[in-house]
Amino acid sequence: MAKLTVRDLDVHGKRVFVRVDYNVPLEEKDGEMVVTDATRIEATLPTLRLLIEKGAKLILAAHCGRPKGQRVPAMSLRPAAAKLADLIGVPVNFVDDCIGEKVEKVVANMVPGSIVLLENVRFYAEEEKNDPGFAEKLARVAEVYVNDAFGSAHRAHASTEGVARLVARRGGQCAAGLLMEKELQFLGDELDNPARPFVVILGGAKVSDKIKVIDRLLEKADAILIGGAMAYTFRLAQGRKTGASLVEPDKVDTANAALAKAKARHVKFLLPTDDVIAEPVKTDKLDKKGKPIVEWQQARTNASPDVPEGAAGLDIGPATVAAYAKAIAEAKTILWNGPMGMFENKQFAAGTNAVAKAVAETTTKGAKSIIGGGDSVKALNKSGLGGQVTFMSTGGGASLEFLEGLELPGVAALTDRK
Ligand code: AMP
């Protein structure tokens, strides 16, 4: 690790400002808001326990939802405080603000090993603007800074970046939490020198979202397997027909450049040879965002590399599944990001589930498997295989940016290890 971690800190009696990722789902039950999935809170327990053991005073800060600078009661972190207290077995003192006198008074009375959780930092618009004055107010209670919110580290906000810079300027230490340390270890160090063959599986909706990751991984991987809607932009680049599939015609040149680079570097670049296609039918129903819901009819396997007019490709087909499973089985290191199809719909989930199974089985045989967050993690958990891979990232956007080779502002602001 190039950065200081919470293990390195001597924080007895010190006020430690800990940025956590408590962006948890909340729901009203019997007139009270409750946390419906505490995974993100559980993930911070090792860091918090270590800090308690070290005798620190823990001041936790986080965001929840997108309140856009307004005090939205349904996005208050109060329920997260109750959940954390249950899980960690220590009282958690919730303060209904994140800056100001109230916070400073509560913090002044803290004893070593105690925990305060501050209210949602995004109740102030200045948080996302990384406003220096706001960061200064947040930092007033901080002697040491710890960031355990990898999922927010790609954003230069006041609580993820500004506070760290201020603490450092005053000569205080800024360290990665244990969760952040693990993310950097697996997405960084492990993939810098992977055991070979190193097989990368990339899926999802758009080439434009992942092209920088593809480009970077073409320099490291032995094989890249492409699935999801992204595959159809590559097919278009190869002069194939894509019917009503989701494609980005303006990204054909980008796709061609990736194919050429793969050839030049002798990286195996596998595209689907068959798929599952269906005909879209518009309905009168609207989804939660008010968009018309499309139903899919006549789902069937298509063994041709062309998709017929009027149909869309929605999953990889059985021959592709077999070829991808074979390539995955040979891997010593696997990185997977993005589903192989529209897996939220059962009719188009087989490809993603088969890849999940192949990744889990190959891991059992000794390969290291790293899952780059987002939908691939959802798919693995849905099929009960989450526990059978080496590492699942907690950051969607953050893990993609990290894999692109970008420096995350929340990581850059941490103290370098001497
Ligand atoms: P991403 O966020 O880029 O990883 O994309 C994930 C989304 O891509 C999921 O919601 C999938 O339903 C969607 N997706 C994957 N394959 C396809 C496909 N062939 N056609 C349409 N959407 C797809």
Side-chain angles (χ1 to χ4, degrees):
M1 267 290 281
K3 295 290 180 182
L4 215 61
T5 84
V6 72
R7 295 173 210 276
D8 303 312
L9 302 177
D10 179 3
V11 282
H12 190 86
K14 286 197 183 150
R15 286 172 273 116
V16 182
F17 186 99
V18 191
R19 178 54 160 99
V20 285
D21 180 359
Y22 286 176
N23 189 18
V24 289
L26 300 168
E27 236 172 56
E28 195 185 319
K29 267 195 192 140
D30 306 325
E32 217 182 302
M33 294 302 280
V34 292
V35 176
T36 53
D37 179 348
T39 311
R40 288 187 166 151
I41 299 178
E42 282 161 14
T44 64
L45 296 180
T47 297
L48 304 188
R49 288 200 177 111
L50 182 59
L51 283 169
I52 290 172
E53 239 172 67
K54 285 177 180 259
K57 299 171 182 171
L58 284 69
I59 304 148
L60 313 187
H63 79 271
C64 185
R66 294 197 171 123
K68 301 207 169 115
Q70 301 298 315
R71 203 167 251 280
V72 181
M75 294 178 193
S76 167
L77 281 168
R78 190 183 287 279
K83 192 74 202 172
L84 173 61
D86 272 357
L87 291 168
I88 202 162
V90 171
V92 175
N93 197 352
F94 177 73
V95 188
D96 66 0
D97 209 336
C98 61
I99 53 169
E101 252 176 53
K102 215 189 276 177
V103 174
E104 285 161 37
K105 255 192 197 151
V106 170
V107 170
N109 290 321
M110 287 179 82
V111 294
S114 62
I115 307 177
V116 163
L117 174 63
L118 306 179
E119 182 57 287
N120 194 341
V121 285
R122 287 198 189 166
F123 281 1
Y124 290 88
E126 294 92 329
E127 158 67 6
E128 291 186 70
K129 291 185 189 139
N130 200 2
D131 178 83
F134 178 69
E136 179 66 55
K137 286 179 193 159
L138 275 175
R140 212 163 278 168
V141 292
E143 285 176 275
V144 175
Y145 177 86
V146 169
N147 193 340
D148 215 15
F150 178 75
S152 302
H154 58 316
R155 312 250 183 252
H157 292 171
S159 66
T160 60
E161 207 256 3
V163 175
R165 298 278 179 208
L166 288 167
V167 168
R169 204 175 302 157
R170 289 188 217 132
Q173 291 174 305
C174 301
L178 298 177
L179 180 63
M180 172 79 90
E181 180 189 27
K182 240 193 198 173
E183 295 274 0
L184 300 178
Q185 180 202 335
F186 281 104
L187 296 175
D189 301 348
E190 295 279 351
L191 297 184
D192 278 342
N193 288 300
R196 295 187 181 279
F198 174 26
V199 174
V200 176
I201 313 152
L202 289 173
K206 293 181 183 161
V207 168
S208 49
D209 286 347
K210 308 228 166 129
I211 190 61
K212 289 193 203 126
V213 178
I214 298 178
D215 196 57
R216 176 133 173 125
L217 290 170
L218 276 167
E219 283 157 25
K220 292 186 187 174
D222 298 294
I224 297 189
L225 322 182
I226 300 284
M230 211 170 40
Y232 294 98
T233 302
F234 282 99
R235 277 203 184 170
L236 209 56
Q238 292 173 323
R240 295 291 178 182
K241 296 200 172 78
T242 53
S245 309
L246 185 61
V247 283
E248 293 170 281
D250 59 325
K251 290 289 172 298
V252 160
D253 289 347
T254 311
N256 266 323
L259 291 168
K261 186 165 176 177
K263 204 167 173 193
R265 300 191 68 95
H266 305 290
V267 177
K268 272 193 215 158
F269 203 86
L270 271 58
L271 290 165
T273 55
D274 64 345
D275 48 12
V276 178
I277 59 171
E279 324 281 336
V281 181
K282 273 205 183 123
T283 62
D284 299 336
K285 292 178 241 164
L286 299 178
D287 67 12
K288 275 186 203 159
K289 288 181 185 157
K291 281 195 195 154
I293 294 179
V294 174
E295 271 171 12
W296 298 98
Q297 289 187 352
Q298 295 180 57
R300 60 201 185 270
T301 301
N302 169 43
S304 151
D306 292 304
V307 178
E309 209 165 307
L314 299 159
D315 194 10
I316 56 174
T320 307
V321 163
Y324 285 13
K326 189 163 173 272
I328 293 166
E330 287 164 8
K332 287 280 177 292
T333 308
I334 302 164
L335 171 67
W336 178 23
N337 183 294
M340 296 291 101
M342 199 186 264
F343 77 110
E344 298 92 338
N345 182 331
K346 251 201 215 151
Q347 295 182 93
F348 313 115
T352 301
N353 289 341
V355 162
K357 194 164 158 257
V359 170
E361 276 172 12
T362 312
T363 312
T364 320
K365 290 184 191 134
K368 251 182 207 155
S369 53
I370 295 160
I371 317 303
D375 282 331
S376 332
V377 168
K378 266 189 221 155
L380 269 162
N381 284 335
K382 222 172 156 187
S383 43
L385 297 169
Q388 292 182 39
V389 295
T390 313
F391 180 70
M392 293 199 286
S393 177
T394 54
S399 60
L400 268 186
E401 287 195 20
F402 192 73
L403 290 170
E404 279 173 23
L406 296 177
E407 189 170 43
L408 308 185
V411 177
L414 302 178
T415 312
D416 288 324
R417 190 189 287 278
K418 297 262 157 51

